[in-house]
Amino acid sequence: MRAIPLAARAHILTAVVSATLCALPALRPGAGIAWTTVGLLAALYLACELPGRCRLIGSSVPISAGSFFPLLLAAAFLLPPAAAALVAIPGSLVGRVEHAPATARRIWRAAQLALTVWAASCVHGLLGGGDTLGGPGPERLPDFPYALLPACAAALAFSLVLTALDGSILATAERLPLRHAWSGLLPRSLGPHLVHGLAGLMMAVLWRSSYGPVSALFVLLPMYISCWIFSQYHREHAAHRATIRALVQAVDIKDTYTRGHSERVGRASVLIARELGMAEDRLEVLRFAGILHDVGKLCVPTRVLRKDGPLTPEERRVIELHPEYGHEIVRGIGFLGEARAAILHHHERLDGSGYPYGLSGREIPEFARVVAVADAFDAMTSTRSYRRGRPVPAAVEELKRCAGTQFDPQMVRALARGLDRHGWSTASTVVTADETVPAPRVGEGAGAGAVRRPVRQRSPDGPEPAASGAVPGDALDVAGGRAVAADGFGLAPGAQSSVDRTR
């Protein structure tokens, strides 16, 4: 407990005292509590939580927060508030805890769930929910559809109280502002809690029927199976993320100039996709495409990636092979789907002058056109050790100038709308590696009158000739006799351009 802030300890103590006061009426003589029902429900909840503590099978048991909330909601429907609060305590005190301090977390969880179940039971009772559950015999049928109203209202109260308590402990233990602590908690949990409420209602109706307590198995068994399937999905998804993370870290280690670039391209790609109204199931794959677009750099010699000075024609050809290398690396990763085509074609250009295959227009896959814009945008706005990032508005104007020849105008417009709506956080424009220049805030840049520090003539692609008038940049492609550079400067026709090392 010493590691817990004083405010958090006081908050936990307050919750424990409140939960005790809520449960005390059940312990008074003559309270008329159905202790058999309380004991059976508490034992069931305890039995559901115990496997997670087993050393042999605990890590494989699909138990997570909320897995057995329907059981607690059934208690809220079947019992008075004080008795319902007691059901949550034994299982919460012995349940699995992932992080220390385990004792404090279990005490908090028990108090939190006791208060939450008490509130849900109060709402259910106020709306006459107990009378809608029916009873044994054909003469006492459940009062459907009215029974849904108190059950859903109780589930709503359950969700509100639980998320309010979750946010409050985050605010006190992690010292987060309340607005940030509560942000997004209710929207994420309300839907699942309503589903839990319907499952709890089914359990309560069967419990009151002639089937009795054994009916709980009819609900708990399929619930456990669904939890296992959901757990397997999340484990597979976690394995996917770990694979992506390992590949990105390998690229960042090999090409230190663009560290962090991949994650920002993934984020900008999703920003564009949301503005286009792309289906949710494609957003994650597109994010993977943005994150892995430069994975082919792993096959490019390090001496070429980190070369000080201009690239030779042969070195340029090697660099231009990185999309094909990347496609070969991810070819066998099935979950990437459309992302594989984006990795292969993100250097294609609308006018057909890109590489590796010179595709044009709609021949270029949609994901590749999205990633190309996101890639160029981040390259222009990121501050590197050899030059400052451009302001966001200036980068957008440069993209608009090259829309129709180098970039898909639809994707450029979508990025501009997304930036107007959501902005681009400072986390997206920090120095990526070898920090020698302070990163500008959003909307800032070198500016016309800014003084630049002297920098070594070192660029991922080699510096441009002095005659070109261009500052060394890393996202530069010739377009219509000019070039889009990460610094936004255009090359004169015929000047040597550099291969896009960020993109």
Side-chain angles (χ1 to χ4, degrees):
M1 290 288 283
R2 290 180 181 177
I4 303 175
L6 181 61
R9 279 184 275 176
H11 190 62
I12 293 172
L13 180 60
T14 302
V16 170
V17 171
S18 300
T20 302
L21 293 175
C22 290
L24 272 179
L27 305 178
R28 292 174 182 170
I33 302 299
W35 287 109
T36 301
T37 301
V38 173
L40 285 173
L41 287 168
L44 276 173
Y45 186 60
L46 178 64
C48 290
E49 294 286 356
L50 274 176
R53 297 287 301 278
C54 179
R55 293 182 179 181
L56 295 177
I57 64 171
S59 60
S60 61
V61 171
I63 293 178
S64 60
S67 295
F68 301 107
F69 280 174
L71 188 55
L72 297 182
L73 283 161
F77 301 155
L78 290 167
L79 297 167
L86 294 173
V87 171
I89 296 174
S92 301
L93 289 175
V94 302
R96 185 169 69 196
V97 174
E98 301 290 345
H99 306 287
T103 301
R105 289 179 182 274
R106 290 192 179 101
I107 292 172
W108 163 254
R109 190 67 173 162
Q112 180 190 33
L113 288 179
L115 289 170
T116 302
V117 175
W118 178 86
S121 183
C122 286
V123 171
H124 190 259
L126 286 173
L127 295 176
D131 298 330
T132 67
L133 300 178
E139 68 283 355
R140 297 186 60 190
L141 295 176
D143 185 9
F144 284 109
Y146 179 76
L148 296 173
L149 176 61
C152 289
L156 176 61
F158 185 95
S159 187
L160 287 170
V161 175
L162 189 64
T163 54
L165 291 171
D166 277 337
S168 65
I169 195 64
L170 281 174
T172 54
E174 304 293 336
R175 297 184 176 90
L176 295 176
L178 284 175
R179 180 170 57 87
H180 293 158
W182 279 321
S183 177
L185 285 179
L186 184 60
R188 288 195 301 267
S189 61
L190 184 57
H193 288 161
L194 287 174
V195 174
H196 293 160
L198 295 178
L201 175 62
M202 180 171 64
M203 184 183 295
V205 168
L206 290 172
W207 192 290
R208 283 274 189 92
S209 72
S210 56
Y211 295 102
V214 72
S215 63
L217 299 177
F218 298 143
V219 179
L220 286 176
L221 184 58
M223 187 191 313
Y224 188 86
I225 293 172
S226 67
C227 284
W228 182 81
I229 294 172
F230 196 63
S231 173
Q232 292 300 108
Y233 166 78
H234 275 280
R235 286 177 184 174
E236 182 180 357
H237 198 61
H240 293 172
R241 291 197 301 270
T243 301
I244 301 299
R245 186 164 53 251
L247 289 171
V248 171
Q249 287 174 346
V251 174
D252 284 349
I253 290 170
K254 185 161 187 174
D255 189 4
T256 56
Y257 278 98
T258 59
R259 186 166 296 152
H261 166 71
S262 298
E263 289 83 354
R264 293 192 300 274
V265 172
R267 189 160 61 250
S269 298
V270 172
L271 183 69
I272 294 171
R274 290 192 187 279
E275 292 298 319
L276 294 173
M278 200 172 284
E280 287 291 326
D281 59 346
R282 300 179 71 200
L283 292 183
E284 184 74 354
V285 178
L286 178 58
R287 188 174 72 86
F288 289 158
I291 290 174
L292 292 176
H293 73 285
D294 273 342
V295 70
K297 287 181 179 179
L298 292 173
C299 299
V300 176
T302 304
R303 61 174 179 79
V304 177
L305 288 175
R306 301 186 182 183
K307 181 179 179 181
D308 290 332
L311 296 174
T312 66
E314 179 60 31
E315 289 169 338
R316 180 186 175 95
R317 283 192 291 272
V318 170
I319 288 278
E320 288 182 349
L321 288 173
H322 82 270
E324 294 175 276
Y325 290 149
H327 185 257
E328 286 299 316
I329 289 172
V330 302
R331 181 191 293 274
I333 305 179
F335 69 84
L336 288 178
E338 292 180 84
R340 295 194 292 268
I343 293 168
L344 178 62
H345 296 296
H346 71 279
H347 276 294
E348 306 285 3
R349 297 170 42 142
L350 236 59
D351 61 7
S353 61
Y355 61 89
Y357 299 136
L359 303 184
S360 63
R362 296 292 169 175
E363 294 177 342
I364 305 171
E366 182 182 27
F367 274 19
R369 285 179 274 132
V370 171
V371 171
V373 172
D375 183 16
F377 170 74
D378 181 71
M380 286 189 281
T381 55
S382 297
T383 292
R384 304 285 161 77
S385 59
Y386 47 84
R387 58 112 177 102
R388 284 182 177 273
R390 298 198 68 202
V392 169
V396 173
E397 286 304 313
E398 187 74 0
L399 290 171
K400 289 179 178 178
R401 183 180 69 79
C402 295
T405 54
Q406 184 171 346
F407 305 113
D408 187 331
Q410 183 184 16
M411 308 307 175
V412 174
R413 289 192 297 269
L415 176 65
R417 288 196 305 269
L419 293 171
D420 288 340
R421 195 188 310 270
H422 304 290
W424 189 245
S425 67
T426 53
S428 305
T429 53
V430 296
V431 175
T432 54
D434 300 333
E435 302 178 28
T436 60
V437 186
R441 293 188 297 273
V442 174
E444 295 182 350
V451 178
R452 294 177 181 265
R453 293 186 184 183
V455 296
R456 293 170 53 193
Q457 291 298 305
R458 178 179 180 181
S459 163
D461 308 310
E464 301 304 327
S468 72
V471 176
D474 67 329
L476 188 140
D477 283 324
V478 176
R482 294 188 49 131
V484 177
D487 55 32
F489 288 49
L491 286 177
Q496 180 185 356
S497 64
S498 57
V499 180
D500 179 353
R501 296 278 303 282
T502 302
R503 300 171 50 214

